[in-house]
Amino acid sequence: MSEVFGQTPVRVSRRGIFGASIAASSVLALASCSDDGGEEVDVDELSKGAMDDFAADSQFKATEPFSLSLLWTEWPELPITDSWQFFTEIEKRTNVKLETTIIPFSDAVEKRSLLISAGDAPMVIPIIYTGDENSFVSSGAILPISDYVEHMPHFQKYVEEWDLGDMIDNLKQADGKYYMLPGLQEVSVPVFTLIIRKDVFETVGGGIPETWDEMREALVKIKAEYPDSYPLADGFEAMSMLNYAAHAFGAQAGWGFGTGMMDDGSGKLQYTAVSAEYKEMVEFFRGLVADGLVDTDSLTAADDGSGGGSVTEKFANELVFAASGSNGTASDFAVALNETVGEGNYEVLQIAPPGGPAGMVCEPRNFWNGFMLNSEITESENFLATLQFLDWIYYNPEARELLRWGVLDETYTKDADGKITLNPEFRLDAFNINPDGETDIQKDLGWSNSVFADSTESRALKESYNTPTFVEYIDSVLATRTPRDPNPPAPLDELELEQAALLSTPIKDTVDTNTLRFIMGERDIAEWDDYVAELESQGLADYISLINGARDRFEEENS
């Protein structure tokens, strides 16, 4: 998924796995009142279909059937069908019929914004990462859901059990409320990191690198052994590699750049792209490029959302030996290597993000995608039942297992130790499980869909569909890397959001352009001070002052 300050751009492999890392979220009930004119909403008066005894770890079933409108993002390789077992089984279990408004993945963010702004959005808006909600808060278009989490016992239970409550502040807006609920993760590891040829690194490179300096030493040796290679690649316009590498240098970059503001060590926020730590990161990667250790095409080729087929081809043809990716990418590399090197003649390994000058650290602990609610839900007689349904489908363990695997004892079995096995007549192509099965539970039945299944996960559920090597990756990150603390919150009010957008957009464009130019050698690092001056001429000082002012206000009001 990482990657982590505020919202990260949505990235997806052909397996439908988002590469995004998200910071934020929370629990603790606030008073049940609407943000619309301050008028209270009596949830008990909008409780048609709601259960009187709904509690954590219970099955939700509406006492009266109702329909619920839902925004559905459709991937081109996974077209939605009304005949999916997913829809019929959910309705059977809950008495809730999902009515979908479909938007294509290619322009999902734009379509979603248009629907919300026009007042035409469905009641439930899924695949929301922290920060996605910001532009809709002031208009009143979305619900301040923190006012109602007291009616969501599963959410509250697992925030507490998984020790996620301290992350609440990064989700709050300037009014002290939060407007989306995230997917909860019992364990959080970077979704994107380096995928390496383990056998080559061990026999040629001197072992598995733990730091970026060790990575450089290994790449030099591999380059000497394979002179036609450029052994390190990204495939995501440098946005993925800089994202997971930046933390080791004490910076934030790439997908995880966020607002650009990060903790300066004193509780204040500094602009990362002008810091000494950011410069050190840029200089390091410039050195790799200068020595012919990086496939520069993979830093500039258009990002198709999968990392680009060319990186997979180069990995398979032993021109690249380490590249950015997720567990799905590792599977892609393995399939390609089977055709060139031959099965059993290689090892592919997903490694913990290398450490660096800032220590053996990785991105802050993250949440995953969740949902927002159209504020018009408070006019629905099924308001309380809707809250209960969403609490069940997003946070109930049995619901989460259902969404991933389908129907117990029909599509899969589960032994006394909790081990899940997909029945032989079914397959899950997205994770290369039972490839000879006749029916794909995702494409044919709608389970493991990315609208719902990739949200909340226990560690056991995460491990149930991933390879043993990915389980090893989880263990290695948890045992050897320390997540950075999240940045201090600095939520902006409506006017500040407008000011920040006007200031930050041209500044960020300058940062992105010049970061890559420095790394590629198209601009001399000796011009760093000139680059900083360019940012200052675009209003950087005003932007920093704006964000720190919001930070001070939030701290004072929420101390």
Side-chain angles (χ1 to χ4, degrees):
M1 131 164 101
S2 299
E3 310 176 350
V4 49
F5 300 89
Q7 181 212 352
T8 322
V10 173
R11 293 290 185 266
V12 67
S13 75
R14 68 180 180 82
R15 284 163 161 52
I17 303 173
F18 281 81
S21 299
I22 324 300
S25 185
S26 50
V27 70
L28 301 179
L30 302 178
S32 292
C33 62
S34 168
D35 197 41
D36 183 11
E39 295 180 5
E40 291 188 0
V41 173
D42 187 346
V43 175
D44 291 335
E45 294 297 318
L46 301 170
S47 58
K48 185 176 181 180
M51 295 173 58
D52 292 333
D53 56 351
F54 185 62
D57 297 329
S58 64
Q59 167 70 48
F60 169 78
K61 187 165 189 177
T63 57
E64 299 181 45
F66 69 97
S67 296
L68 183 62
S69 60
L70 170 80
L71 191 63
W72 188 281
T73 299
E74 183 176 65
W75 275 254
E77 69 273 22
L78 191 63
I80 185 175
T81 68
D82 293 337
S83 62
W84 272 353
Q85 186 186 42
F86 164 78
F87 290 111
T88 56
E89 187 68 23
I90 292 297
E91 184 174 4
K92 171 185 169 184
R93 294 187 184 215
T94 67
N95 259 346
V96 177
K97 179 178 177 61
L98 296 176
E99 296 181 344
T100 58
T101 295
I102 301 172
I103 56 176
F105 171 75
S106 58
D107 60 351
V109 173
E110 293 80 3
K111 286 283 195 334
R112 181 180 69 201
S113 295
L114 287 172
L115 287 168
I116 295 173
S117 299
D120 296 328
M123 290 298 104
V124 184
I125 307 166
I127 316 185
I128 297 299
Y129 294 90
T130 57
D132 285 347
E133 76 278 22
N134 291 349
S135 59
F136 308 112
V137 169
S138 61
S139 68
I142 58 174
L143 185 76
I145 198 163
S146 57
D147 287 358
Y148 304 99
V149 293
E150 65 180 289
H151 303 290
M152 306 183 76
H154 293 95
F155 175 73
Q156 295 186 78
K157 174 180 177 177
Y158 289 101
V159 166
E160 181 178 356
E161 283 195 5
W162 295 346
D163 193 25
L164 305 173
D166 288 344
M167 299 162 71
I168 187 171
D169 281 348
N170 277 359
L171 199 58
K172 288 181 178 179
Q173 298 292 324
D175 61 3
K177 300 182 180 185
Y178 46 99
Y179 289 73
M180 62 84 71
L181 288 188
L184 307 179
Q185 299 287 301
E186 182 177 11
V187 295
S188 177
V189 297
V191 176
F192 276 69
T193 179
L194 280 169
I195 312 298
I196 69 169
R197 272 284 299 272
K198 179 184 178 185
D199 55 310
V200 173
F201 271 82
E202 289 182 333
T203 59
V204 178
I208 309 303
E210 289 291 331
T211 67
W212 280 105
D213 284 343
E214 290 179 6
M215 174 60 70
R216 179 188 179 86
E217 293 171 4
L219 295 174
V220 169
K221 295 175 182 177
I222 293 170
K223 176 76 173 180
E225 181 72 17
Y226 298 86
D228 293 333
S229 74
Y230 292 89
L232 179 65
D234 183 55
F236 299 90
E237 299 177 292
M239 299 297 281
S240 177
M241 186 173 295
L242 292 180
N243 171 44
Y244 58 77
H247 304 292
F249 288 87
Q252 58 194 50
W255 289 338
F257 189 80
T259 65
M261 303 295 290
M262 65 178 295
D263 193 347
D264 67 358
S266 70
K268 292 287 187 181
L269 295 164
Q270 65 176 339
Y271 197 67
T272 183
V274 298
S275 67
E277 293 83 1
Y278 194 93
K279 182 182 180 183
E280 184 177 12
M281 176 194 70
V282 169
E283 288 178 315
F284 177 84
F285 282 98
R286 170 63 197 138
L288 296 183
V289 170
D291 290 345
L293 303 176
V294 178
D295 180 80
T296 53
D297 288 344
S298 74
L299 303 184
T300 58
D303 175 12
D304 68 357
S306 67
S310 63
V311 173
T312 302
E313 292 164 11
K314 291 173 182 177
F315 207 96
N317 290 306
E318 301 190 316
L319 298 173
V320 166
F321 295 90
S324 299
S326 65
N327 58 328
T329 313
S331 296
D332 287 342
F333 288 171
V335 170
L337 283 164
N338 285 342
E339 299 297 319
T340 56
V341 176
E343 189 170 358
N345 296 321
Y346 66 86
E347 286 186 81
V348 171
L349 181 68
Q350 184 174 6
I351 67 171
M360 305 303 287
V361 297
C362 60
E363 66 189 42
R365 194 176 178 189
N366 298 323
F367 287 93
W368 206 233
N369 66 77
F371 65 95
M372 302 186 300
L373 288 176
N374 187 325
S375 59
E376 293 178 3
I377 191 69
T378 58
E379 301 172 11
S380 168
E381 61 184 358
N382 300 117
F383 180 30
L384 179 56
T386 297
L387 293 174
Q388 293 178 347
F389 169 76
L390 292 171
D391 183 57
W392 174 80
I393 200 169
Y394 270 94
Y395 306 111
N396 176 283
E398 291 185 3
R400 301 313 303 170
E401 188 174 300
L402 171 75
L403 292 168
R404 177 60 68 191
W405 289 105
V407 181
L408 181 62
D409 294 329
E410 180 178 332
T411 58
Y412 75 99
T413 57
K414 189 174 182 180
D415 67 18
D417 294 326
K419 179 179 172 56
I420 288 174
T421 303
L422 195 62
N423 288 337
E425 64 268 33
F426 297 98
R427 68 181 194 275
L428 182 53
D429 289 346
F431 297 98
N432 198 31
I433 299 173
N434 286 2
D436 296 327
E438 181 179 351
T439 302
D440 188 319
I441 64 169
Q442 183 185 66
K443 297 174 184 175
D444 300 324
L445 303 180
W447 305 115
S448 279
N449 67 73
S450 293
V451 174
F452 282 110
D454 293 336
S455 186
T456 294
E457 287 185 316
S458 66
R459 178 171 183 172
L461 182 59
K462 187 186 295 290
E463 293 181 352
S464 70
Y465 61 90
N466 278 300
T467 63
T469 55
F470 183 72
V471 175
E472 292 176 15
Y473 167 68
I474 294 175
D475 290 337
S476 70
V477 173
L478 295 178
T480 66
R481 301 295 185 266
T482 301
R484 281 179 49 193
D485 291 332
N487 286 326
L492 305 175
D493 63 27
E494 181 179 3
L495 179 60
E496 290 168 339
L497 283 169
E498 295 176 4
Q499 294 173 325
L502 290 172
L503 288 167
S504 66
T505 300
I507 293 172
K508 177 65 160 50
D509 289 343
T510 299
V511 169
D512 288 344
T513 298
N514 285 281
T515 297
L516 199 53
R517 288 184 66 204
F518 282 130
I519 289 173
M520 297 288 286
E522 296 170 359
R523 186 171 187 179
D524 195 314
I525 198 69
E527 297 181 20
W528 182 265
D529 289 344
D530 295 333
Y531 150 75
V532 173
E534 291 163 17
L535 297 177
E536 290 173 344
S537 70
Q538 292 177 303
L540 179 59
D542 291 337
Y543 178 66
I544 293 173
S545 177
L546 178 69
I547 303 299
N548 271 312
R551 166 66 192 149
D552 292 342
R553 181 186 62 233
F554 185 85
E555 186 174 76
E556 181 180 345
E557 293 178 354
N558 292 274
S559 59

